[in-house]
Amino acid sequence: MAKKTIVPKKTPMPEQPAEERIHNYNEVPYGYTEEQAIAEAKRCIECAKPLCMAGCPVNINIPGFLKLIADGDFRGAVNLVKETNALPAITGRVCPQETQCEGVCTLCKKFEPVGVGRLERFVADWEAAQGALPVPPLPPPTGKKVAVVGSGPAGLTVAADLARLGHHVTIFEALHEAGGVLVYGIPEFRLPKAIVKREVEYVCSLGVKLVKDFVVGNAATVDELLEEFDAIFLGSGAGLPWFLGIPGENLGGVYSANEYLTRSNLMKAYRFPEYDTPIARGQRVITIGGGNVAMDAARTALRLGAKESIIVYRRSRDEMPARAEEIHHAEQEGIIFNLLTTPVALHGANGRVTEMECLKNELGEPDASGRRRPVAIKDSNFCIPTDIVVVAVGQSPSPLIPKTTPDLKVAKGGVVTVEEQTMKTSKKGVFAGGDVATGGATVILAMGQAKIASKAIDEYLKTGAW
Amino acid sequence: MYKILKKQVLSDLVTLMEVSAPQVTRKAQAGQFVIVRAYEESERIPLTIADFDRAAQSVTLVIQQVGKSTMQMCQMNEGDEFATVAGPLGHPTEIEKYGTVICIGGGVGIAPVYPIARALKEAGNHVISIIGARNQSLLFWEEKMRAVSDELIVTTDDGSYGRKALVTEPLKEILTARQDIKKVWAIGPAIMMKFVAATTKTFNVPTIVSLNTIMIDGTGMCGGCRVLTTDGAQFVCVDGPEFDAHRVDWDVMMSRMQFYRAEEQAAVEQWKHQCNLASAA
Ligand SMILES: Cc1cc2nc3c(=O)[nH]c(=O)nc-3n(C[C@H](O)[C@H](O)[C@H](O)COP(=O)(O)OP(=O)(O)OC[C@H]3O[C@@H](n4cnc5c(N)ncnc54)[C@H](O)[C@@H]3O)c2cc1C
Ligand SMILES: Cc1cc2nc3c(=O)[nH]c(=O)nc-3n(C[C@H](O)[C@H](O)[C@H](O)COP(=O)(O)OP(=O)(O)OC[C@H]3O[C@@H](n4cnc5c(N)ncnc54)[C@H](O)[C@@H]3O)c2cc1C
Ligand code: SF4
Ligand code: SF4
Ligand code: FES
């Protein structure tokens, strides 16, 4: 291949200025124009050994689709992406690209990597702009019935895959809207809900039946579903929020990130009183944690009118698990980072939180995760006044389904035990994937597991062999 | 959508709605609740399953107007539809033959205590019921309660009907007079449950309350409904709604319930304003 001069930096993606966007919920980056996309795709040097593909959990043919974009064949590009990733408009926006496809891109050695995520988003948005997707020809019905529990990325992926194979799929969703974390957790300014809605509508257009307001475990147990369905996929996510267990955590104004974000996103509290659900709006909001969830909460606080939105994280910036872009956007928007800080107590007056007491940390030896362990400095206690505290320190699968399904094996942390090659659980006919099988992870991992599960479910439905 | 099949005004503040909800009725049991959303823009609010009819696939909800969501619901009519009715949620009441038991319902709490009293009676218990309200116009289901109770005491705060007393007064008298009370159930305003708990504690009688914290999802996902008990923080929607009254930290629970007072008032005012505009037009 002819040597070409490489443009060292990614083609910039236009975005809303920080001063403006903290007052609205509109999406932050605007996305590439066709010209920008072609320019960015041309930065790819079409490696003989494309490391990027190995970095992508679903092995998208990245050089292939970049080449098609470079040639202006956007339809070809989106079709190629969708061979392995059904939700590119979503993953292009939310994947931690810097540790996956882009993190291992050959260009990284000297330059910025190719903006694979941005281009994935570009082709998906291009396709959406062409109008509703035609329903692909579906095979004759197999007569087999599958129940999918949960409508997050894992459940939607399994439902679409199995419907395309001719199976009859019913999704049971506990909430009044489908999409899982994509609708209740990740805010509009990062992932517009219209995109999620479009994906859900597409899945339904394949003949998938969506039953909302249905809590599996309560309205029907897994065993009861098995009387009616030939197989079950559990995609119920990791929705149980963790708290710190420090004094004062039950004061008014102390939220789990799930509650804060659910009020704001799913229930649209940011449009209160037009929508009925209230949310506390404070002058100062402290969010505890350093992941995507914490960034989302801290940035939501600004948009709800907080003058100061502070992140308290016990390790240093390098250890923060959030996507690089989210940390960058948060910094741009003026979020204050209080790093190497551990909350030890919340104090309040009249039942409402008024300040957070913290300890300063220093970094010690690496722990099991390979990250340096924060060690508290004795007597370094100090207090930060605040109106609201959002706890974003992790979540695990809800115990509801395991508790009502005695023969479903669960490991430490409530994670459903699965066989990794098939996503089979310990219970015949029941498969699981996504956060319920991994604990809080990522959209793309959930989809990757869902792909494995759909194959195995199809196999099981055909052969009956477990 | 979930159609309102029947509407009946029970008192000045309390309305009964029978709602079609096939998903709920299949497994509903006494003590469980549903999450209801009136319209697309509405809050999700918890309401106890006061009764259910498996054949008609309907649940009976008894709703007391306290804020915008409940006022709006009570204005809806037969044939209208709720946007969400999800459930049954929470654990059912543990019904056994205990012996002699007391069931206390305060205000709208009379509705959820009714199916519990009925189930206890059916299980062969001697059921003493105490129902109370602020005044006569807020009292309902006296006859229904009488039909499932061996003894029934009715109180009002202002003496406009029945005995002028708080429910805790006859409770204390019964506990003093007889030693055979095995268990007490109390459902009503938090303040009532708190004082029932204090009363039965001195007599060491196990007491179950059904907590009515603020909820959103009702599935254990947000933690907003948490209460502090001697076992640590618990989620009312999945760990309850019934709890051992003597283990609940009532002050924490009551202060959490007050948290949105200003917003709730704003919502009611804005809504009333819109209603006035609409009726003027
Ligand atoms: C605030 C936030 C930000 C995030 N940001 C990112 C990001 O930027 N990038 C990224 O890759 N990942 C991110 N994640 C993680 C990602 O969203 C999850 O890994 C992913 O959504 C998991 O998909 P899932 O399908 O397994 O489960 P979920 O998306 O959790 O969906 C599970 C669904 O099951 C339903 N359900 C649960 N129990 C029952 C039941 N008993 N009956 C019926 N239905 C039930 C739930 O209501 C829910 O709709 C974020 C997570 C959060 C919370
Ligand atoms: C498990 C459970 C079962 C319930 N069952 C019933 C039932 O069968 N019938 C019924 O009428 N209500 C029931 N409730 C209470 C009901 O959910 C609330 O009254 C309702 O959410 C109030 O909504 P609102 O918008 O009308 O009022 P809001 O505007 O939210 O509140 C108005 C006023 O009521 C107070 N308040 C708020 N929440 C509650 C609450 N949960 N309980 C009491 N006062 C509150 C507020 O402090 C405020 O002053 C139940 C609650 C729970 C948790
Ligand atoms: S799915 Fe995620 S990891 Fe894979 S190419 Fe797309 S952005 Fe990269
Ligand atoms: S590693 Fe980078 S440069 Fe190489 S093919 Fe992949 S995207 Fe292109
Ligand atoms: S209502 Fe959300 S956890 Fe109970």
Side-chain angles (χ1 to χ4, degrees), chain B:
Chain B
M1 300 293 271
Y2 305 84
K3 200 184 216 139
I4 299 170
L5 305 174
K6 187 178 136 193
K7 175 180 177 178
Q8 184 190 352
V9 175
L10 296 183
S11 81
D12 286 358
L13 288 180
V14 179
T15 300
L16 175 151
M17 300 267 193
E18 200 180 309
V19 186
S20 165
Q23 291 174 192
V24 178
T25 41
R26 248 172 30 106
K27 298 203 66 182
Q29 292 179 63
Q32 291 185 295
F33 67 96
V34 286
I35 290 275
V36 184
R37 217 166 40 116
Y39 302 103
E40 275 310 309
E41 305 77 23
S42 301
E43 291 182 273
R44 295 167 64 93
I45 69 161
L47 295 169
T48 307
I49 301 172
D51 209 345
F52 48 85
D53 182 338
R54 290 199 217 279
Q57 302 196 317
S58 67
V59 289
T60 299
L61 307 176
V62 175
I63 309 165
Q64 164 155 274
Q65 301 183 37
V66 296
K68 176 176 169 187
S69 306
T70 44
M71 288 176 192
Q72 230 177 1
M73 282 179 185
C74 290
Q75 287 209 341
M76 293 172 77
N77 288 307
E78 285 173 15
D80 291 347
E81 291 176 337
F82 287 141
T84 294
V85 178
L89 302 170
H91 293 289
T93 308
E94 277 175 35
I95 304 290
E96 276 173 43
K97 184 166 176 185
Y98 299 96
T100 302
V101 296
I102 302 180
C103 291
I104 306 173
V108 71
I110 298 168
V113 101
Y114 167 75
I116 297 175
R118 182 177 60 185
L120 286 166
K121 175 86 183 138
E122 279 165 7
N125 292 286
H126 181 89
V127 178
I128 306 175
S129 295
I130 307 174
I131 59 173
R134 269 180 287 156
N135 58 53
Q136 179 176 16
S137 70
L138 298 177
L139 208 59
F140 60 93
W141 280 13
E142 181 184 351
E143 287 321 309
K144 267 178 95 117
M145 283 301 291
R146 194 179 304 282
V148 298
S149 310
D150 295 280
E151 301 169 43
L152 177 74
I153 298 158
V154 183
T155 68
T156 52
D157 296 6
D158 66 354
S160 53
Y161 186 80
R163 179 169 162 192
K164 180 178 190 305
L166 300 173
V167 290
T168 41
E169 292 169 42
L171 171 67
K172 194 167 172 187
E173 288 162 16
I174 298 168
L175 293 174
T176 312
R178 46 196 297 178
Q179 268 68 60
D180 63 339
I181 306 298
K182 291 290 185 305
K183 212 162 177 161
V184 173
W185 277 259
I187 309 183
I191 188 80
M192 179 203 99
M193 294 192 282
K194 173 182 166 163
F195 282 107
V196 167
T199 307
T200 58
K201 187 151 181 130
T202 53
F203 293 90
N204 238 334
V205 178
T207 301
I208 303 291
V209 286
S210 180
L211 298 183
N212 49 2
T213 48
I214 295 170
M215 292 190 177
I216 305 179
D217 55 299
T219 69
M221 183 266 275
C222 75
C225 62
R226 66 194 184 276
V227 287
L228 191 60
T229 72
T230 49
D231 301 321
Q234 306 253 310
F235 292 1
V236 172
C237 65
V238 285
D239 300 321
E242 294 189 353
F243 287 89
D244 177 340
H246 300 150
R247 305 187 81 114
V248 175
D249 185 326
W250 292 98
D251 296 336
V252 167
M253 153 141 179
M254 286 166 61
S255 93
R256 283 188 66 78
M257 283 178 67
Q258 293 304 319
F259 187 70
Y260 293 105
R261 182 156 268 191
E263 286 86 351
E264 284 152 358
Q265 249 149 22
V268 170
E269 265 147 41
Q270 149 118 4
W271 179 64
K272 284 192 171 154
H273 179 65
Q274 278 170 353
C275 293
N276 289 341
L277 287 182
S279 58

Side-chain angles (χ1 to χ4, degrees), chain A residues 156-171:
Chain A
L156 291 176
T157 304
V158 166
D161 282 358
L162 293 177
R164 279 198 218 97
L165 293 169
H167 304 303
H168 190 279
V169 184
T170 306
I171 301 181

Side-chain angles (χ1 to χ4, degrees), chain A residues 55-58 60 62 85 91-92 95 97 100-101 116-117 120 444:
Chain A
C56 168
V58 294
I60 292 181
I62 295 171
N85 175 355
T91 50
C95 258
Q97 285 94 7
Q100 298 182 354
C101 52
V116 178
E120 193 170 294
I444 192 69

